[in-house]
Amino acid sequence: MIVALIIACEVGFWVLLALGLSVRYLLKWRRTSVVLLLCEPVLELVLFVATAIDLKNGAEPGWEHGLAALYIGYTVAFGHYTIRWLDGHAAHRLADGPPPHKPPRYGRARARHEARLWLRAVGGGAVALALLQLAVWYVGDSGDISSLRTFQWVAIRTVGIYGLIALGYWIWPKQPKPAPADRVAAPKERARS
């Protein structure tokens, strides 16, 4: 049941997002679009309550409960960012708005961008860890909590891997490729010397 609810929440997220942006830019109903987009967090609340009820009714904690916590953490951390990003694209495509802001591609600016995304991942991981710990305390000694503990480690490892990737952008910043004129000029300079 929890897996089906996670899938339903994911589908619901994208359906509400598409409806909200369509209503905003095609029908010009700004208030209605705000209401639709504000329904997004309700999906996570429904998933959280359903997971808690499932555990309260005696369900053995399993991987689906851990996955629900990770999904809620990810949505809390990256949901608003995703909505804002897609809103910029919809405004540009459907309402002749300015082109959406693109993240920097090179150098320290890209490293700062990746660090900000990693901080979002830390926030999402913290939410997932907190939800999983609450589930561990809720189940207590009466049930097998090993799958919940496993998903806590999954959250920690995910944040750690993301941090290593962000750190890589600081240590080895991506540089732009030289312009074609620069590549042509280099052999001429070597010929003169």
Side-chain angles (χ1 to χ4, degrees):
M1 173 185 110
I2 299 298
V3 175
L5 193 55
I6 292 170
I7 293 169
C9 285
E10 180 67 14
V11 170
F13 176 85
W14 292 105
V15 168
L16 282 173
L17 185 56
L19 282 174
L21 295 177
S22 298
V23 164
R24 175 176 289 181
Y25 294 111
L26 297 177
L27 300 177
K28 310 289 188 218
W29 296 350
R30 185 146 181 89
R31 287 186 183 161
T32 306
S33 76
V34 169
V35 170
L36 286 169
L37 293 175
L38 286 176
C39 287
E40 299 279 0
V42 173
L43 295 172
E44 280 64 48
L45 185 61
V46 167
L47 180 60
F48 176 71
V49 169
T51 304
I53 290 171
D54 191 40
L55 289 172
K56 182 169 178 47
N57 289 339
E60 193 67 30
W63 63 270
E64 59 274 6
H65 298 100
L67 183 62
L70 291 179
Y71 176 79
I72 292 170
Y74 174 83
T75 305
V76 166
F78 288 96
H80 184 260
Y81 178 81
T82 303
I83 291 170
R84 194 174 62 227
W85 181 79
L86 285 172
D87 185 45
H89 282 279
H92 177 64
R93 300 266 191 246
L94 302 175
D96 295 324
H101 174 72
K102 292 184 179 181
R105 295 181 59 184
Y106 304 108
R108 296 291 179 207
R110 178 60 185 225
R112 281 189 295 278
H113 173 74
E114 292 296 329
R116 283 191 297 271
L117 290 179
W118 175 69
L119 289 175
R120 285 185 180 277
V122 168
V127 168
L129 285 170
L131 291 174
L132 288 165
Q133 189 59 44
L134 286 172
V136 165
W137 289 334
Y138 186 71
V139 172
D141 295 333
S142 62
D144 180 22
I145 56 170
S146 62
S147 63
L148 298 175
R149 291 285 187 209
T150 299
F151 270 90
Q152 284 181 319
W153 283 109
V154 167
I156 291 169
R157 281 193 305 263
T158 303
V159 169
I161 290 168
Y162 207 136
L164 290 174
I165 291 169
L167 182 64
Y169 278 96
W170 282 101
I171 296 173
W172 301 287
K174 187 176 176 186
Q175 300 298 325
K177 294 179 183 171
D182 294 343
R183 286 190 229 147
V184 173
K188 289 180 184 177
E189 289 175 8
R190 277 189 246 138
R192 289 185 200 159
S193 50

